[in-house]
Amino acid sequence: MDTTIETLKWGTDVSRFNPPFEVILVADCVYDDRYVEQLLKTVKDLCDESTLILVASDHHDCEATEKYQSEVVLDFDVEAISNDQLDATYRDRDIQVHRLSKKS
């Protein structure tokens, strides 16, 4: 398997990455309300309706969390994953995990 690492700036053209991806993992990226729109645009551009998108965040900035929660539902269906569904070794009550599905 060949692996390539490239920089991805949120909100920019993602066509060079040949989307859509099968899986997108977003971890600890909801930290500043100034970047929520770019983050969600990037995720939307990298996926299709069949992409598994998992978002994990501890929501350490209330403004960023509020903006994320109000904007994510515009383009995605959001399903909270309960802590008891997560591996006991890694789950943390301060971390919220959501499964996103791109709306058609």
Side-chain angles (χ1 to χ4, degrees):
M1 170 196 273
D2 291 332
T3 303
T4 302
I5 298 171
E6 293 186 44
T7 301
L8 169 61
K9 184 174 179 179
W10 297 344
T12 62
D13 178 37
V14 298
S15 60
R16 74 174 193 257
F17 296 101
N18 300 314
F21 289 107
E22 292 179 34
V23 177
I24 297 175
L25 302 175
V26 180
D28 201 24
C29 291
V30 181
Y31 56 84
D32 190 320
D33 64 313
R34 295 174 295 174
Y35 305 114
V36 169
E37 289 178 33
Q38 294 94 332
L39 170 63
L40 292 174
K41 178 189 181 321
T42 300
V43 173
K44 182 179 173 184
D45 292 346
L46 290 171
C47 71
D48 65 14
E49 291 79 11
S50 67
T51 303
L52 171 62
I53 306 163
L54 296 173
V55 179
S57 182
D58 67 1
H59 302 302
H60 44 82
D61 181 298
C62 291
E63 290 179 27
T65 299
E66 289 175 14
K67 185 168 187 172
Y68 170 80
Q69 290 173 341
S70 67
E71 293 190 16
V72 70
V73 296
L74 300 175
D75 295 308
F76 299 94
D77 293 318
V78 180
E79 175 191 352
I81 299 175
S82 66
N83 251 358
D84 59 345
Q85 292 179 281
L86 303 173
D87 186 291
T89 304
Y90 302 106
R91 66 181 166 215
D92 183 316
R93 63 184 169 94
D94 295 327
I95 305 283
Q96 296 179 353
V97 179
H98 293 96
R99 179 181 294 119
L100 306 185
S101 300
K102 186 177 184 179
K103 293 181 179 178
S104 314

